Amino acid sequence: MRKALQNQQNTLTNEKYRIIAVDDEIGIIESLSVFLKKTEYDFVGITDPVEAIERIKREHFDLMLLDFMMAPLHGDEVVEEIRKFNKELYILLLTGHKDLAPPLETIKRLEIQGYCEKSDKFDQLLLLIESGIKSIKQMYEIKRINEELEESNEKLEQAYLDMVQTLRYTVEAKDSYTRGHSDRVSEYSVLIGEKIGLSEEQLKTLKVGGLFHDIGKIGIPDSILQKQAKLTDDEYSEIKNHPSIGAHILGAASIFKEIIPIVKHHHERYDGRGYPSGLAGENIPYLARIAAIADTFDAMTSRRSYRDALELQIVKDEIERCKGTQFDPQLADVFLNILNNDFGKIQAIQEKYKSI
C-alpha cells in the first residue's frame, strides 16, 4: 500500500503518467506508440493480454487502453482479472465498432471508465485520455490527503471541509456557471431536507454533497465547459460523464463515501431516463433525488449565456409537469410547497449567492 502510494506521489511530482496499451494487433500498438510518445506520457504497449496482467501486477500504471476483441482473453476477461488485485486502474476500452462493446452492465460492474471506437484519427482518444488523467490526478491528491488525515483524526472534520472547498474552487475556475450554483444547490437541498425532517447527519451530507455535486467537471475539457455556442452531441456526451468522473475521484477516499451517491446520481430521472446509470424510482438514492430537484431549480432560475433566468411561475409549472417523470413526486410537492409558502427563504439564498 505504501509503495503504491509512493509511486502515485512520484507520478504527481514529475507529471509523467504511465499508460499501458493492450491490443493483440501489433499495428495498433505501433500506431499508439508513435502517437502517444509525442505526448508527455510514459507509454508501454503489449500484444499479449496475459503478459499485460502480470506486468500490471508488478508495475504501477495510471491508465490502460484495452482492446475488447483479443485472444486468448477478451478485454472484459482481462479487466475481470485486474480488478481482483487493482480496483483503481483507470481503464478505457477500445472497440473495432461500438456494437462490439460489452454490455453496459458489464462496463459498470468492472468499473471501466469509458470506451472508444478505434479510428485512424486519435483526437477523440486523446480527449478521453486527457480527461482520464485529470481524474486520476485528483484521485491521487485526495488519497494523499486521506493518508495524512489518518494520522490526526482530531483534525479530520475541518480538513474534510477544507478539501471540499479547495477542489470545488478548482472546478469553479474552469466553469463560471458552477460559481454560486453549487452553493445554492447545497442550500436548496438542505431546505428540502429540513422540511421533511431529515436528521442532522443527513442534512450535513446534503449540504456537502450539494457543494461537491459537480466536482466531476474537473475531468471535462475546458473547451467544452467554456463553449458559448450550442454543444454538439459528442460534446454533450462528454458533459454527461461528469457524475461518474466525480464519483471516481471521490471514491479514492473513504471520508467521501456518504456524498458519492449524490455526486454520481444527481442527474438520474425518476422514470429511469437519466444518467449515468439509468436508475428509476426508489432505486435512485434518496438524497440524490433531493439534490436533483435543487439542481434543476437553480439551472432554470439562473441566467445563462444563451438565455435569461426563467420566471418563477414557469419554473413551478415545469416542476409540477415533471413530477413522476423527472422528479420524485413527493419531494417535488415538498419543494413546490416551499416555493409557494416559504419563498422568502429561497430569495435569501439567491441574494446570498447571486448568479455570476
Side-chain angles (χ1 to χ4, degrees):
M1 174 67 181
R2 291 286 178 183
K3 182 178 179 182
L5 184 62
Q6 184 62 49
N7 285 336
Q8 292 165 0
Q9 289 173 337
N10 289 342
T11 300
L12 276 173
T13 302
N14 60 29
E15 296 293 331
K16 196 75 171 176
Y17 292 93
R18 301 198 73 205
I19 296 176
I20 182 170
V22 187
D23 194 307
D24 58 1
E25 295 183 40
I26 187 63
I28 297 293
I29 293 295
E30 289 175 346
S31 296
L32 286 171
S33 177
V34 171
F35 177 69
L36 288 174
K37 284 185 177 178
K38 296 177 181 177
T39 69
E40 71 273 24
Y41 307 124
D42 181 9
F43 176 76
V44 172
I46 296 178
T47 56
D48 182 352
V50 177
E51 179 189 343
I53 293 170
E54 293 303 313
R55 185 84 177 258
I56 291 168
K57 282 181 181 178
R58 298 192 309 267
E59 301 177 35
H60 170 76
F61 292 95
D62 300 290
L63 184 147
M64 178 167 71
L65 304 173
L66 178 65
D67 185 28
F68 179 50
M69 300 298 291
M70 293 187 296
L73 298 176
H74 280 189
D76 55 341
E77 294 174 300
V78 174
V79 180
E80 192 94 51
E81 289 301 310
I82 290 172
R83 288 306 187 215
K84 291 177 182 178
F85 62 87
N86 188 325
K87 300 290 187 183
E88 296 175 358
L89 181 62
Y90 198 102
I91 298 175
L92 294 175
L93 201 63
L94 302 180
T95 64
H97 191 276
K98 62 182 177 182
D99 293 338
L100 298 177
L104 184 59
E105 180 182 343
T106 301
I107 290 175
K108 287 191 224 174
R109 179 175 59 82
L110 297 176
E111 298 183 41
I112 297 171
Q113 279 73 31
Y115 66 89
C116 179
E117 288 184 55
K118 293 181 182 178
S119 168
D120 293 336
K121 297 180 179 179
F122 291 108
D123 292 350
Q124 183 183 2
L125 179 59
L126 184 58
L127 193 67
L128 288 173
I129 291 172
E130 289 175 347
S131 294
I133 292 299
K134 288 180 181 179
S135 298
I136 291 162
K137 185 173 183 178
Q138 291 298 316
M139 181 181 70
Y140 290 165
E141 178 66 11
I142 290 173
K143 285 188 68 177
R144 181 189 66 78
I145 295 172
N146 194 43
E147 286 285 320
E148 293 176 356
L149 290 174
E150 288 177 0
E151 299 174 3
S152 62
N153 289 332
E154 69 279 4
K155 297 180 180 179
L156 182 62
E157 184 72 15
Q158 188 55 51
Y160 169 55
L161 294 174
D162 288 346
M163 280 189 293
V164 170
Q165 293 293 67
T166 300
L167 291 178
R168 187 165 67 96
Y169 293 153
T170 303
V171 175
E172 290 179 354
K174 289 163 58 71
D175 181 14
S176 60
Y177 166 65
T178 304
R179 200 170 309 136
H181 167 70
S182 295
D183 297 277
R184 294 189 297 272
V185 168
S186 172
E187 297 218 22
Y188 296 150
S189 297
V190 170
L191 211 55
I192 298 171
E194 290 173 340
K195 194 74 171 178
I196 59 180
L198 295 185
S199 68
E200 286 300 317
E201 195 62 31
Q202 288 173 309
L203 292 176
K204 178 181 172 183
T205 301
L206 269 177
K207 178 179 180 179
V208 180
L211 289 173
F212 225 19
H213 74 286
D214 275 340
I215 190 63
K217 287 183 176 179
I218 194 77
I220 304 301
D222 295 357
S223 60
I224 294 177
L225 284 180
Q226 298 168 4
K227 185 175 180 180
Q228 297 295 312
K230 182 179 179 181
L231 297 179
T232 65
D233 290 343
D234 285 343
E235 288 169 337
Y236 183 59
S237 293
E238 282 291 317
I239 286 284
K240 288 169 69 174
N241 287 331
H242 80 267
S244 295
I245 293 171
H248 183 73
I249 290 171
L250 300 179
S254 61
I255 56 175
F256 292 109
K257 65 180 180 180
E258 298 300 328
I259 69 168
I260 287 177
I262 294 174
V263 173
K264 186 171 183 178
H265 297 297
H266 68 278
H267 280 294
E268 305 288 357
R269 288 173 53 105
Y270 202 73
D271 60 9
R273 295 192 295 125
Y275 60 89
S277 302
L279 302 181
E282 295 189 3
N283 288 325
I284 305 170
Y286 192 59
L287 300 188
R289 281 180 261 163
I290 293 174
I293 295 173
D295 186 37
T296 304
F297 172 77
D298 191 68
M300 289 191 289
T301 55
S302 297
R303 181 175 57 81
R304 306 299 297 273
S305 60
Y306 51 87
R307 65 154 173 81
D308 288 331
L310 300 181
E311 294 181 5
L312 180 60
Q313 189 56 52
I314 294 175
V315 173
K316 289 195 285 189
D317 291 344
E318 186 68 9
I319 293 174
E320 181 70 39
R321 185 181 70 82
C322 293
K323 289 194 313 186
T325 53
Q326 185 171 350
F327 307 123
D328 180 316
Q330 292 182 334
L331 291 173
D333 280 337
V334 170
F335 192 59
L336 285 170
N337 181 272
I338 294 172
L339 293 178
N340 289 324
N341 300 304
D342 284 309
F343 190 64
K345 294 180 180 179
I346 298 289
Q347 288 178 308
I349 293 169
Q350 292 174 334
E351 182 63 26
K352 184 178 178 182
Y353 303 106
K354 288 183 178 179
S355 298
I356 303 301

